[in-house]
Amino acid sequence: MFKLDFTGKTVLVSGASRGIGKAIALAFHELGATVYGTATSEKGAAAITEYLGGQGCGLVMNGLEPQSVAKLYEDVEAKAGNCPDVLVNNAGITRDTLLMRMKDEDWNAVIQCNLNAHVQLSKLCAAKMMRRRSGRIISIASIVGETGNAGQTNYAAAKAGLIGFSKSLAKEVASRGITVNCVAPGFVATDMTAALKPEQLKAWTDTIPLKRAATADDIAGAVVFLASDLASYITGTTLDVNGGLYCD
């Protein structure tokens, strides 16, 4: 009964070329799913295809362009023969600076890529999931969307919007057997954080009750759980994966 097995399932993960998205795609791949991951370039898409080893493939999607998002969904349906069983909205960008210095294009780009593109993909998937009367939509939010952060007004607004959107969509599609949830990571160890000096990294991790940064696999585990039958009665929630840094 309590078994994680996605054999025969199709999973779409946006932003799967590295970091959290790659860890999520690999986790589903290892559990038997056919995975389609997106990257912003043909080179990135080819790298995804390579690590999936024929059990899915990489595709190009530019979240800044609505037409690219629409084409990506069409390509996935054509290759999979149906709508994905699981959608993971992960792709995102940052354009960090104080609001008084922020250019309109930097605000709009983050809102478009980190919120609007996810709304568009969710709408496309939900329409088909409703006919099938099953599906999972999981979006990668952020602790910043819950607490705010100076210099990230655009990013925080997009992530907070994603949380509110997911709660609302969850109520709209629950009667059709679809769950909609968010995972909100805190401080995650990435290629960027690996470049920090030891004392800088310690200053960050000392603020975390568990005294370590999250790994990409920590986030992937939460996503897999929410996509599984174990979480069939969980919808409209935000699962905080932050080591106790923020407790709601």
Side-chain angles (χ1 to χ4, degrees):
M1 179 179 177
F2 296 106
K3 182 173 66 174
L4 293 175
D5 185 0
F6 289 89
T7 302
K9 300 290 187 180
T10 300
V11 180
L12 171 58
V13 182
S14 68
S17 60
R18 59 189 175 89
I20 292 172
K22 182 177 181 180
I24 293 169
L26 283 171
F28 280 112
H29 171 269
E30 290 170 7
L31 291 169
T34 299
V35 181
Y36 296 92
T38 78
T40 57
S41 67
E42 292 289 353
K43 182 179 179 181
I48 295 170
T49 298
E50 183 176 356
Y51 76 64
L52 289 175
Q55 200 172 307
C57 68
L59 297 164
V60 174
M61 184 188 83
N62 183 351
L64 295 171
E65 300 175 358
Q67 62 271 28
S68 177
V69 177
K71 184 178 185 305
L72 176 277
Y73 179 79
E74 292 175 0
D75 290 345
V76 171
E77 268 212 341
K79 289 180 177 295
N82 205 338
C83 168
D85 298 283
V86 180
L87 167 65
V88 182
N89 291 310
N90 170 71
I93 60 172
T94 56
R95 298 285 187 274
D96 296 349
T97 190
L98 297 174
L99 181 63
M100 296 303 105
R101 299 174 184 169
M102 189 176 293
K103 298 177 181 177
D104 288 347
E105 53 264 38
D106 290 335
W107 174 274
N108 293 334
V110 170
I111 296 298
Q112 167 56 37
C113 187
N114 295 17
L115 178 59
N116 294 347
H118 298 326
V119 171
Q120 184 181 358
L121 260 186
S122 297
K123 185 177 181 180
L124 289 166
C125 284
K128 296 294 179 70
M129 288 176 175
M130 288 177 73
R131 295 177 195 170
R132 192 172 56 205
R133 304 188 73 85
S134 67
R136 299 280 192 269
I137 297 174
I138 302 160
S139 296
I140 306 303
S142 170
I143 189 174
V144 171
E146 299 174 302
T147 66
N149 194 38
Q152 289 191 303
T153 52
N154 49 3
Y155 188 80
K159 294 300 187 178
L162 198 55
I163 291 170
F165 165 75
S166 298
K167 289 178 181 292
S168 300
L169 181 60
K171 293 178 181 292
E172 293 183 9
V173 299
S175 65
R176 300 300 182 91
I178 303 164
T179 66
V180 186
N181 294 290
C182 288
V183 171
F187 183 59
V188 182
T190 63
D191 293 341
M192 182 175 66
T193 59
L196 294 174
K197 295 178 180 178
E199 59 270 23
Q200 292 175 311
L201 186 60
K202 186 176 185 301
W204 274 102
T205 55
D206 279 350
T207 66
I208 302 170
L210 284 182
K211 301 303 178 186
R212 71 171 179 87
T215 66
D217 286 340
D218 289 326
I219 312 305
V223 172
V224 167
F225 165 69
L226 288 174
S228 75
D229 291 340
L230 299 175
S232 62
Y233 202 61
I234 300 174
T235 195
T237 195
T238 298
L239 180 54
D240 293 316
V241 187
N242 60 43
L245 186 60
Y246 171 72
C247 299
D248 186 12

PDB file of all heavy atoms in Angstrom, residues 184-206:
ATOM      1  N   ALA A 184       7.785  24.903  -0.545  1.00  0.00           N
ATOM      2  CA  ALA A 184       8.509  26.162  -0.338  1.00  0.00           C
ATOM      3  C   ALA A 184       9.875  25.878   0.287  1.00  0.00           C
ATOM      4  O   ALA A 184       9.980  25.688   1.499  1.00  0.00           O
ATOM      5  CB  ALA A 184       7.698  27.096   0.548  1.00  0.00           C
ATOM      6  N   PRO A 185      10.929  25.839  -0.531  1.00  0.00           N
ATOM      7  CA  PRO A 185      12.269  25.611   0.014  1.00  0.00           C
ATOM      8  C   PRO A 185      12.765  26.832   0.782  1.00  0.00           C
ATOM      9  O   PRO A 185      12.346  27.968   0.525  1.00  0.00           O
ATOM     10  CB  PRO A 185      13.129  25.387  -1.239  1.00  0.00           C
ATOM     11  CG  PRO A 185      12.156  25.102  -2.341  1.00  0.00           C
ATOM     12  CD  PRO A 185      10.930  25.873  -1.996  1.00  0.00           C
ATOM     13  N   GLY A 186      13.696  26.568   1.698  1.00  0.00           N
ATOM     14  CA  GLY A 186      14.416  27.645   2.355  1.00  0.00           C
ATOM     15  C   GLY A 186      15.774  27.810   1.689  1.00  0.00           C
ATOM     16  O   GLY A 186      15.874  27.922   0.473  1.00  0.00           O
ATOM     17  N   PHE A 187      16.841  27.777   2.479  1.00  0.00           N
ATOM     18  CA  PHE A 187      18.200  27.918   1.961  1.00  0.00           C
ATOM     19  C   PHE A 187      18.658  26.570   1.406  1.00  0.00           C
ATOM     20  O   PHE A 187      18.757  25.591   2.144  1.00  0.00           O
ATOM     21  CB  PHE A 187      19.129  28.383   3.085  1.00  0.00           C
ATOM     22  CG  PHE A 187      20.549  28.643   2.661  1.00  0.00           C
ATOM     23  CD1 PHE A 187      20.839  29.583   1.684  1.00  0.00           C
ATOM     24  CD2 PHE A 187      21.597  27.946   3.244  1.00  0.00           C
ATOM     25  CE1 PHE A 187      22.145  29.825   1.300  1.00  0.00           C
ATOM     26  CE2 PHE A 187      22.907  28.177   2.868  1.00  0.00           C
ATOM     27  CZ  PHE A 187      23.190  29.131   1.893  1.00  0.00           C
ATOM     28  N   VAL A 188      18.924  26.518   0.106  1.00  0.00           N
ATOM     29  CA  VAL A 188      19.275  25.269  -0.562  1.00  0.00           C
ATOM     30  C   VAL A 188      20.718  25.334  -1.057  1.00  0.00           C
ATOM     31  O   VAL A 188      21.133  26.323  -1.670  1.00  0.00           O
ATOM     32  CB  VAL A 188      18.335  24.988  -1.754  1.00  0.00           C
ATOM     33  CG1 VAL A 188      18.673  23.649  -2.409  1.00  0.00           C
ATOM     34  CG2 VAL A 188      16.881  25.005  -1.304  1.00  0.00           C
ATOM     35  N   ALA A 189      21.477  24.289  -0.805  1.00  0.00           N
ATOM     36  CA  ALA A 189      22.855  24.206  -1.293  1.00  0.00           C
ATOM     37  C   ALA A 189      22.846  24.037  -2.805  1.00  0.00           C
ATOM     38  O   ALA A 189      22.257  23.096  -3.340  1.00  0.00           O
ATOM     39  CB  ALA A 189      23.570  23.029  -0.639  1.00  0.00           C
ATOM     40  N   THR A 190      23.467  24.963  -3.504  1.00  0.00           N
ATOM     41  CA  THR A 190      23.525  24.947  -4.961  1.00  0.00           C
ATOM     42  C   THR A 190      24.959  25.218  -5.415  1.00  0.00           C
ATOM     43  O   THR A 190      25.859  25.416  -4.595  1.00  0.00           O
ATOM     44  CB  THR A 190      22.612  26.042  -5.550  1.00  0.00           C
ATOM     45  OG1 THR A 190      23.103  27.329  -5.120  1.00  0.00           O
ATOM     46  CG2 THR A 190      21.177  25.861  -5.096  1.00  0.00           C
ATOM     47  N   ASP A 191      25.166  25.247  -6.730  1.00  0.00           N
ATOM     48  CA  ASP A 191      26.479  25.601  -7.262  1.00  0.00           C
ATOM     49  C   ASP A 191      26.897  26.986  -6.787  1.00  0.00           C
ATOM     50  O   ASP A 191      28.074  27.246  -6.528  1.00  0.00           O
ATOM     51  CB  ASP A 191      26.458  25.561  -8.795  1.00  0.00           C
ATOM     52  CG  ASP A 191      26.259  24.162  -9.332  1.00  0.00           C
ATOM     53  OD1 ASP A 191      26.487  23.198  -8.576  1.00  0.00           O
ATOM     54  OD2 ASP A 191      25.864  24.021 -10.503  1.00  0.00           O
ATOM     55  N   MET A 192      25.931  27.883  -6.673  1.00  0.00           N
ATOM     56  CA  MET A 192      26.217  29.253  -6.255  1.00  0.00           C
ATOM     57  C   MET A 192      26.659  29.290  -4.788  1.00  0.00           C
ATOM     58  O   MET A 192      27.650  29.924  -4.440  1.00  0.00           O
ATOM     59  CB  MET A 192      24.993  30.144  -6.448  1.00  0.00           C
ATOM     60  CG  MET A 192      25.236  31.598  -6.065  1.00  0.00           C
ATOM     61  SD  MET A 192      23.822  32.649  -6.428  1.00  0.00           S
ATOM     62  CE  MET A 192      22.614  32.006  -5.275  1.00  0.00           C
ATOM     63  N   THR A 193      25.950  28.587  -3.923  1.00  0.00           N
ATOM     64  CA  THR A 193      26.303  28.606  -2.500  1.00  0.00           C
ATOM     65  C   THR A 193      27.612  27.849  -2.249  1.00  0.00           C
ATOM     66  O   THR A 193      28.309  28.133  -1.274  1.00  0.00           O
ATOM     67  CB  THR A 193      25.188  27.996  -1.630  1.00  0.00           C
ATOM     68  OG1 THR A 193      24.944  26.647  -2.046  1.00  0.00           O
ATOM     69  CG2 THR A 193      23.907  28.793  -1.760  1.00  0.00           C
ATOM     70  N   ALA A 194      27.953  26.927  -3.141  1.00  0.00           N
ATOM     71  CA  ALA A 194      29.208  26.194  -2.984  1.00  0.00           C
ATOM     72  C   ALA A 194      30.412  27.116  -3.128  1.00  0.00           C
ATOM     73  O   ALA A 194      31.513  26.807  -2.652  1.00  0.00           O
ATOM     74  CB  ALA A 194      29.289  25.064  -4.007  1.00  0.00           C
ATOM     75  N   ALA A 195      30.201  28.256  -3.785  1.00  0.00           N
ATOM     76  CA  ALA A 195      31.284  29.219  -3.985  1.00  0.00           C
ATOM     77  C   ALA A 195      31.483  30.138  -2.778  1.00  0.00           C
ATOM     78  O   ALA A 195      32.442  30.911  -2.730  1.00  0.00           O
ATOM     79  CB  ALA A 195      31.000  30.064  -5.229  1.00  0.00           C
ATOM     80  N   LEU A 196      30.590  30.060  -1.779  1.00  0.00           N
ATOM     81  CA  LEU A 196      30.722  30.895  -0.587  1.00  0.00           C
ATOM     82  C   LEU A 196      31.911  30.461   0.264  1.00  0.00           C
ATOM     83  O   LEU A 196      32.271  29.289   0.298  1.00  0.00           O
ATOM     84  CB  LEU A 196      29.450  30.817   0.265  1.00  0.00           C
ATOM     85  CG  LEU A 196      28.163  31.402  -0.318  1.00  0.00           C
ATOM     86  CD1 LEU A 196      26.986  31.091   0.607  1.00  0.00           C
ATOM     87  CD2 LEU A 196      28.290  32.902  -0.535  1.00  0.00           C
ATOM     88  N   LYS A 197      32.495  31.414   0.952  1.00  0.00           N
ATOM     89  CA  LYS A 197      33.559  31.094   1.890  1.00  0.00           C
ATOM     90  C   LYS A 197      32.949  30.340   3.078  1.00  0.00           C
ATOM     91  O   LYS A 197      31.780  30.542   3.405  1.00  0.00           O
ATOM     92  CB  LYS A 197      34.234  32.369   2.370  1.00  0.00           C
ATOM     93  CG  LYS A 197      34.968  33.128   1.267  1.00  0.00           C
ATOM     94  CD  LYS A 197      35.580  34.410   1.800  1.00  0.00           C
ATOM     95  CE  LYS A 197      36.310  35.171   0.704  1.00  0.00           C
ATOM     96  NZ  LYS A 197      36.884  36.450   1.211  1.00  0.00           N
ATOM     97  N   PRO A 198      33.733  29.475   3.730  1.00  0.00           N
ATOM     98  CA  PRO A 198      33.210  28.687   4.859  1.00  0.00           C
ATOM     99  C   PRO A 198      32.537  29.544   5.926  1.00  0.00           C
ATOM    100  O   PRO A 198      31.495  29.169   6.458  1.00  0.00           O
ATOM    101  CB  PRO A 198      34.457  27.990   5.399  1.00  0.00           C
ATOM    102  CG  PRO A 198      35.354  27.872   4.219  1.00  0.00           C
ATOM    103  CD  PRO A 198      35.127  29.109   3.404  1.00  0.00           C
ATOM    104  N   GLU A 199      33.120  30.709   6.228  1.00  0.00           N
ATOM    105  CA  GLU A 199      32.527  31.556   7.261  1.00  0.00           C
ATOM    106  C   GLU A 199      31.201  32.168   6.802  1.00  0.00           C
ATOM    107  O   GLU A 199      30.288  32.374   7.606  1.00  0.00           O
ATOM    108  CB  GLU A 199      33.497  32.665   7.683  1.00  0.00           C
ATOM    109  CG  GLU A 199      33.951  33.605   6.575  1.00  0.00           C
ATOM    110  CD  GLU A 199      35.220  33.139   5.865  1.00  0.00           C
ATOM    111  OE1 GLU A 199      35.508  31.911   5.910  1.00  0.00           O
ATOM    112  OE2 GLU A 199      35.911  33.990   5.282  1.00  0.00           O
ATOM    113  N   GLN A 200      31.087  32.419   5.489  1.00  0.00           N
ATOM    114  CA  GLN A 200      29.821  32.927   4.951  1.00  0.00           C
ATOM    115  C   GLN A 200      28.743  31.851   5.021  1.00  0.00           C
ATOM    116  O   GLN A 200      27.607  32.117   5.412  1.00  0.00           O
ATOM    117  CB  GLN A 200      30.012  33.386   3.495  1.00  0.00           C
ATOM    118  CG  GLN A 200      30.877  34.616   3.320  1.00  0.00           C
ATOM    119  CD  GLN A 200      31.120  34.934   1.866  1.00  0.00           C
ATOM    120  OE1 GLN A 200      31.494  34.061   1.070  1.00  0.00           O
ATOM    121  NE2 GLN A 200      30.886  36.181   1.482  1.00  0.00           N
ATOM    122  N   LEU A 201      29.115  30.639   4.645  1.00  0.00           N
ATOM    123  CA  LEU A 201      28.166  29.522   4.683  1.00  0.00           C
ATOM    124  C   LEU A 201      27.723  29.245   6.115  1.00  0.00           C
ATOM    125  O   LEU A 201      26.542  28.996   6.376  1.00  0.00           O
ATOM    126  CB  LEU A 201      28.807  28.277   4.066  1.00  0.00           C
ATOM    127  CG  LEU A 201      27.901  27.060   3.894  1.00  0.00           C
ATOM    128  CD1 LEU A 201      26.725  27.382   2.985  1.00  0.00           C
ATOM    129  CD2 LEU A 201      28.694  25.894   3.313  1.00  0.00           C
ATOM    130  N   LYS A 202      28.666  29.314   7.056  1.00  0.00           N
ATOM    131  CA  LYS A 202      28.330  29.084   8.456  1.00  0.00           C
ATOM    132  C   LYS A 202      27.371  30.152   8.979  1.00  0.00           C
ATOM    133  O   LYS A 202      26.448  29.856   9.750  1.00  0.00           O
ATOM    134  CB  LYS A 202      29.595  29.055   9.308  1.00  0.00           C
ATOM    135  CG  LYS A 202      29.342  28.683  10.775  1.00  0.00           C
ATOM    136  CD  LYS A 202      30.628  28.574  11.549  1.00  0.00           C
ATOM    137  CE  LYS A 202      30.377  28.090  12.983  1.00  0.00           C
ATOM    138  NZ  LYS A 202      29.490  28.974  13.742  1.00  0.00           N
ATOM    139  N   ALA A 203      27.569  31.394   8.540  1.00  0.00           N
ATOM    140  CA  ALA A 203      26.682  32.476   8.961  1.00  0.00           C
ATOM    141  C   ALA A 203      25.247  32.212   8.509  1.00  0.00           C
ATOM    142  O   ALA A 203      24.284  32.490   9.233  1.00  0.00           O
ATOM    143  CB  ALA A 203      27.179  33.807   8.410  1.00  0.00           C
ATOM    144  N   TRP A 204      25.102  31.646   7.314  1.00  0.00           N
ATOM    145  CA  TRP A 204      23.779  31.289   6.812  1.00  0.00           C
ATOM    146  C   TRP A 204      23.187  30.132   7.604  1.00  0.00           C
ATOM    147  O   TRP A 204      22.072  30.190   8.095  1.00  0.00           O
ATOM    148  CB  TRP A 204      23.871  30.899   5.335  1.00  0.00           C
ATOM    149  CG  TRP A 204      23.791  32.056   4.372  1.00  0.00           C
ATOM    150  CD1 TRP A 204      24.817  32.664   3.710  1.00  0.00           C
ATOM    151  CD2 TRP A 204      22.609  32.736   3.953  1.00  0.00           C
ATOM    152  NE1 TRP A 204      24.347  33.668   2.925  1.00  0.00           N
ATOM    153  CE2 TRP A 204      22.998  33.737   3.044  1.00  0.00           C
ATOM    154  CE3 TRP A 204      21.249  32.585   4.259  1.00  0.00           C
ATOM    155  CZ2 TRP A 204      22.083  34.589   2.433  1.00  0.00           C
ATOM    156  CZ3 TRP A 204      20.338  33.436   3.647  1.00  0.00           C
ATOM    157  CH2 TRP A 204      20.752  34.427   2.753  1.00  0.00           C
ATOM    158  N   THR A 205      23.958  29.048   7.710  1.00  0.00           N
ATOM    159  CA  THR A 205      23.414  27.832   8.310  1.00  0.00           C
ATOM    160  C   THR A 205      23.179  27.972   9.815  1.00  0.00           C
ATOM    161  O   THR A 205      22.339  27.266  10.371  1.00  0.00           O
ATOM    162  CB  THR A 205      24.324  26.621   8.038  1.00  0.00           C
ATOM    163  OG1 THR A 205      25.653  26.901   8.495  1.00  0.00           O
ATOM    164  CG2 THR A 205      24.376  26.309   6.547  1.00  0.00           C
ATOM    165  N   ASP A 206      23.893  28.871  10.459  1.00  0.00           N
ATOM    166  CA  ASP A 206      23.679  29.088  11.895  1.00  0.00           C
ATOM    167  C   ASP A 206      22.283  29.630  12.189  1.00  0.00           C
ATOM    168  O   ASP A 206      21.795  29.511  13.317  1.00  0.00           O
ATOM    169  CB  ASP A 206      24.735  30.039  12.460  1.00  0.00           C
ATOM    170  CG  ASP A 206      26.048  29.336  12.768  1.00  0.00           C
ATOM    171  OD1 ASP A 206      26.073  28.088  12.713  1.00  0.00           O
ATOM    172  OD2 ASP A 206      27.044  30.033  13.054  1.00  0.00           O
TER     173      ASP A 206
END
